[in-house]
Amino acid sequence: MNTLKKASKEADEIQVRLLQEQSEREKVQQERSKLEDAVQKLQQGRSSYQLLLLKREIENKALRNGLQALKTKFNDQTVLLNDCTRKLQGAQGFPSKVDTLFKSEVIRLVDELNQEIMQTAAFISDSFDFAHKPEHRAKFKDANTRTSELIGPAMLSLLGTVQHKEDPLLIQIALQAAIVEFCRWIIMTWDFDGLEAEQPLTEIYTEVRETESQEVSGRWRALTRSHAQRVAPDVHSTMVAHINETLVNVMISAGCTKDFKDAYREFTIKFGERVSNIVRMAVRLNRAMGEEVTSADLWPIHAAAGERFDTESMKDFDEWSGAQSGVVLCTTALGLQMSEKVGHEEDAVYKTLILVKPKVALEAIAEGMV
């Protein structure tokens, strides 16, 4: 009986514990449900927050892009403003810019160059012996090929047929003609270094001169020349060597008794410095006409071989001949021409004047030479 009571009591206790455990499990389950609800809410809140952050990031990026676009536009406008300011300042400065060299000084420089060319050619022609011999025909042919374009076929023919032993005047004239052509190129060129800028710069300047006033086009020319040209020592030496070689070939064509190698060596020793000085004088005239005179355009002029002699635009090399007509053999001294643009646009006119007439030798000068 006691055992039965004891078992019943234990069963009741177990039942109570089970009820308690059941109650605890329910509480735990409730707490778990609450926690799960809380976690779900947190996850939802996190997702919402991430979406909000993404939205803010997109907005910030759009703002940054907009700011960068504004900065770029501001910089572009600043550059444009500065460019316009420089152009305005430059344009305002053009009319006030005066020549830094008088035209009379340019005339003096041209006369001095012509005198130096004549004296050098005379000294050269008197310093070598000349004779036409059959055994020299091969070297004559090679020299003629090198000089034909420079001094022309008529002069070459005379050099090869006239005997120069007693009077080397024709050789002097041919040497003057060759030096004159080289100097004319040096004075007129935009590009000493052979960078192929000559033609485009010439074309651009022609257009600038047609569309702008004399003051503006003159200053454009001066600025472009000053920046485009750099006569380095090696460029000067190359020009001198080229002229020396050509003048020696002219002498070979005239029957110089020395071969090219010996003649060239003697020539450079005796006359190399004089030719170098002529190049310097021509470069000086390039700067004078190209950069230092802007109120007008100045350039050297010559007469082409075969052209009809015109006393209005040329002078005869033989000043005592009194020639009024004839055919030009070559140019022996450079002339100088000036052109000034007056007025603007459709009303503009060009005033052209020959300041120095070029001197020319006529084909008749060879008459009587044998």
Side-chain angles (χ1 to χ4, degrees), residues 140-177:
F140 290 166
K141 185 177 180 180
D142 182 57
N144 289 350
T145 301
R146 297 174 182 273
T147 57
S148 175
E149 184 177 350
L150 189 66
I151 61 176
M155 175 60 82
L156 274 179
S157 177
L158 290 172
L159 288 178
T161 55
V162 172
Q163 295 295 330
H164 311 287
K165 186 175 181 179
E166 299 299 326
D167 185 3
L169 176 62
L170 195 63
I171 299 173
Q172 174 190 330
I173 292 173
L175 293 171
Q176 284 182 243

Side-chain angles (χ1 to χ4, degrees), residues 180-181 184 188 289 299-303 313-314 331 333-338 353-359:
V180 161
E181 280 304 298
R184 190 169 69 90
M188 295 183 67
M289 297 186 197
W299 60 85
I301 53 175
H302 77 309
S313 59
M314 310 172 195
T331 300
L334 286 170
L336 179 65
Q337 184 163 296
M338 179 183 75
L353 177 67
I354 295 178
L355 302 179
V356 178
K357 294 179 181 180
K359 283 187 178 181

Side-chain angles (χ1 to χ4, degrees), residues 99 101-111 114 285 288-289 293 295-302 312-315 333-340 351-359:
D99 295 343
L101 190 70
F102 292 116
K103 298 178 185 68
S104 59
E105 284 295 297
V106 181
I107 294 174
R108 180 183 62 80
L109 292 173
V110 171
D111 288 339
N114 285 329
L285 274 166
M289 297 186 197
V293 176
S295 63
D297 282 74
L298 302 174
W299 60 85
I301 53 175
H302 77 309
E312 294 297 319
S313 59
M314 310 172 195
K315 292 177 69 174
L334 286 170
L336 179 65
Q337 184 163 296
M338 179 183 75
S339 176
E340 181 182 1
K351 295 184 177 180
T352 303
L353 177 67
I354 295 178
L355 302 179
V356 178
K357 294 179 181 180
K359 283 187 178 181

Side-chain angles (χ1 to χ4, degrees), residues 67-81:
L67 179 60
Q68 184 60 43
L70 288 173
K71 287 182 178 179
T72 301
K73 186 175 181 180
F74 175 77
N75 291 335
D76 291 343
Q77 290 178 339
T78 301
V79 170
L80 180 61
L81 177 61

Side-chain angles (χ1 to χ4, degrees), residues 26-43:
E26 290 176 354
K27 289 180 180 179
V28 169
Q29 186 64 38
Q30 290 175 356
E31 291 294 330
R32 182 179 177 180
S33 297
K34 290 179 180 180
L35 289 174
E36 289 177 348
D37 291 341
V39 169
Q40 187 176 4
K41 289 180 179 180
L42 288 174
Q43 289 177 340

Side-chain angles (χ1 to χ4, degrees), residues 44-208:
Q44 291 174 347
R46 180 184 177 186
S47 298
S48 299
Y49 183 68
Q50 288 176 333
L51 290 173
L52 182 61
L53 286 178
L54 181 60
K55 182 179 179 181
R56 292 289 185 269
E57 181 62 28
I58 292 173
E59 291 175 351
N60 289 339
K61 186 176 181 179
L63 289 173
R64 286 194 298 270
N65 291 338
L67 179 60
Q68 184 60 43
L70 288 173
K71 287 182 178 179
T72 301
K73 186 175 181 180
F74 175 77
N75 291 335
D76 291 343
Q77 290 178 339
T78 301
V79 170
L80 180 61
L81 177 61
N82 291 336
D83 186 48
C84 291
T85 301
R86 284 193 299 271
K87 289 181 179 179
L88 180 60
Q89 291 173 341
Q92 290 173 339
F94 281 166
S96 62
K97 182 69 176 181
V98 296
D99 295 343
T100 58
L101 190 70
F102 292 116
K103 298 178 185 68
S104 59
E105 284 295 297
V106 181
I107 294 174
R108 180 183 62 80
L109 292 173
V110 171
D111 288 339
E112 290 177 353
L113 174 62
N114 285 329
Q115 285 294 320
E116 184 63 23
I117 291 173
M118 182 189 69
Q119 292 175 11
T120 300
F123 289 148
I124 294 171
S125 62
D126 284 333
S127 299
F128 292 85
D129 294 325
F130 300 89
H132 293 299
K133 297 180 180 180
E135 60 267 28
H136 294 163
R137 287 177 182 172
K139 68 175 184 178
F140 290 166
K141 185 177 180 180
D142 182 57
N144 289 350
T145 301
R146 297 174 182 273
T147 57
S148 175
E149 184 177 350
L150 189 66
I151 61 176
M155 175 60 82
L156 274 179
S157 177
L158 290 172
L159 288 178
T161 55
V162 172
Q163 295 295 330
H164 311 287
K165 186 175 181 179
E166 299 299 326
D167 185 3
L169 176 62
L170 195 63
I171 299 173
Q172 174 190 330
I173 292 173
L175 293 171
Q176 284 182 243
I179 300 172
V180 161
E181 280 304 298
F182 275 113
C183 288
R184 190 169 69 90
W185 174 82
I186 292 173
I187 294 169
M188 295 183 67
T189 189
W190 292 78
D191 173 24
F192 287 116
D193 288 333
L195 299 178
E196 300 183 357
E198 184 72 26
Q199 182 175 348
L201 286 177
T202 300
E203 292 174 353
I204 292 171
Y205 180 59
T206 299
E207 183 175 348
V208 170

